[in-house]
Amino acid sequence: PFRIEQHLEFIDISEDGYLLLGSSNLVLNYWNGSLWYFKDADLAPEKERSLTGHGCDYSIACGKFLDSREKVIVGDDSGAITVYFITTFENDTIHVIPQMTSLHHDSSITALSVTSSKAQSVSAGNDLAINIWDNETLVSEFKYMPAHTRTITCVMTSPEESSSVFASSSLDGSALLWDRRMNKAACSIKQTQNYGLTALSWKNSNEIAIGSQAGNVAVTDIRAKKDIIAEPVMDCSIHNIIFDNNRGLLGVCGDSTSVKVWDPESKNVVYTDERHTGLVRGLAWHPKSQKLYSCGFDKQIFSHQVTTLES
């Protein structure tokens, strides 16, 4: 593609430290996007330092690595889910090759999560549907529709290796726990009346953080279906949250230019950064350096070295 677009929508970092970046921009009356692949997170978002890129006809909403470096899954605003291979040709050039695409959503993709085994993915769309995908065939194994009564803001698969459990959040104020093995696939783990729920991140297989339009974050025990802790973290709607599973710290961004890190144990915000000049959208913890990376609508990616008293 010609360039990295203005709006950086998401980042994902593989176990080997490779970075996947999705960008979008409005051209005339149409959104288009591009997908970029970097060997090192610190090289992004400069196009000249990327290994390769791929232009898309639609805005790209979300993307994840399916293995350490050569296979990714992406959801876009057409409602399509696409698996791409990252392939090295004989002349040593690297290319992003679409392998297969499936269109089981009637509207744009709003959320995407991959199981810890990498065998399946879960997607949500503005059509209020949730699909469970086989990543080898991109066949939709299960479809729940309507899964919520308003926009589904997040889906997040359980960190357990062989688990069939995932959670979803919605602007209808509910967070649901799904298990396709059960006759009743979904049960409520949180319900709010005055605001929607916007983001999810598992702390472990029994506890999940839930962000809201009110700027609060709750850590909820899925067994008791009760909040262990609930605190205001941002003074705006939360957009994305992600746990650093090594230290139990939660990266948080919202409808603002701030990046924050919240420690549920101390109930304190232990880090705040204001370098972004546009809305912050994507967050990812680096598996090796334990830095937090953020991207946003200012076409910037920043790294955050988060230290606490314990570390």
Side-chain angles (χ1 to χ4, degrees):
F2 179 66
R3 61 175 182 163
I4 296 177
E5 312 296 343
Q6 176 66 34
H7 300 96
L8 305 187
E9 301 275 2
F10 68 84
I11 47 176
D12 192 37
I13 301 174
S14 76
E15 294 167 7
D16 289 341
Y18 286 73
L19 182 137
L20 180 70
L21 169 66
S23 70
S24 301
N25 202 26
L26 184 64
V27 179
L28 298 177
N29 293 325
Y30 298 96
W31 283 91
N32 57 23
S34 54
L35 197 61
W36 298 88
Y37 179 65
F38 293 84
K39 187 174 182 178
D40 189 301
D42 289 325
L43 301 177
E46 294 183 35
K47 176 190 171 184
E48 293 73 20
R49 303 173 82 178
S50 69
L51 291 173
T52 189
H54 180 79
C56 305
D57 292 333
Y58 297 93
S59 172
I60 302 174
C62 35
K64 298 287 182 184
F65 278 100
L66 288 181
D67 63 19
S68 60
R69 64 179 71 171
E70 293 174 345
K71 195 175 179 183
V72 301
I73 187 166
V74 172
D76 68 35
D77 274 5
S78 75
I81 297 288
T82 304
V83 171
Y84 293 91
F85 275 150
I86 298 166
T87 305
T88 304
F89 285 11
E90 289 180 357
N91 61 358
D92 289 335
T93 59
I94 299 173
H95 298 265
V96 180
I97 308 295
Q99 186 201 16
M100 48 190 170
T101 298
S102 193
L103 197 60
H104 275 262
H105 286 280
D106 297 328
S107 187
S108 55
I109 306 297
T110 58
L112 180 68
S113 184
V114 178
T115 60
S116 56
S117 67
K118 309 294 187 184
Q120 293 165 312
S121 297
V122 179
S123 65
N126 265 328
D127 56 357
L128 306 183
I130 290 176
N131 277 286
I132 301 176
W133 305 90
D134 180 310
N135 289 338
E136 285 299 315
T137 61
L138 216 54
V139 169
S140 175
E141 297 180 331
F142 293 87
K143 184 171 186 175
Y144 304 106
M145 182 178 179
H148 286 268
T149 58
R150 291 188 63 193
T151 299
I152 303 167
T153 51
C154 190
V155 289
M156 195 63 62
T157 57
S158 168
E160 277 193 13
E161 188 65 39
S162 58
S163 178
S164 59
V165 171
F166 67 92
S168 64
S169 62
S170 168
L171 295 185
D172 63 14
S174 67
L176 302 179
L177 190 70
W178 299 80
D179 189 341
R180 60 180 182 275
R181 298 168 302 183
M182 302 296 184
N183 290 331
K184 184 184 177 185
C187 66
S188 175
I189 52 174
K190 188 174 180 65
Q191 182 69 51
T192 60
Q193 299 299 325
N194 301 323
Y195 50 82
L197 302 179
T198 55
L200 301 166
S201 183
W202 291 91
K203 184 178 182 184
N204 53 52
S205 58
N206 295 318
E207 298 174 15
I208 189 168
I210 304 173
S212 76
Q213 283 182 309
N216 303 324
V217 176
V219 178
T220 302
D221 187 318
I222 64 169
R223 298 162 298 183
K225 300 180 177 63
K226 287 184 178 179
D227 293 347
I228 302 167
I229 176 177
E231 291 284 322
V233 176
M234 303 199 82
D235 54 7
C236 61
S237 177
I238 287 173
H239 179 75
N240 201 342
I241 58 177
I242 183 167
F243 264 114
D244 170 12
N245 290 323
N246 294 310
R247 296 179 290 175
L249 300 175
L250 188 73
V252 184
C253 69
D255 292 343
S256 73
T257 58
S258 299
V259 174
K260 295 189 178 185
V261 176
W262 180 62
D263 181 3
E265 297 301 318
S266 68
K267 302 182 183 179
N268 292 325
V269 173
V270 296
Y271 176 91
T272 302
D273 184 273
E274 303 278 357
R275 282 177 290 172
H276 281 285
T277 56
L279 293 179
V280 185
R281 301 288 88 177
L283 296 172
W285 289 99
H286 197 290
K288 295 180 178 178
S289 70
Q290 294 191 352
K291 288 181 182 177
L292 178 66
Y293 286 80
S294 61
C295 72
F297 283 180
D298 55 358
K299 202 177 179 180
Q300 295 280 354
I301 293 178
F302 292 116
S303 67
H304 310 270
Q305 187 74 58
V306 183
T307 56
T308 61
L309 292 175
E310 290 78 12
S311 60

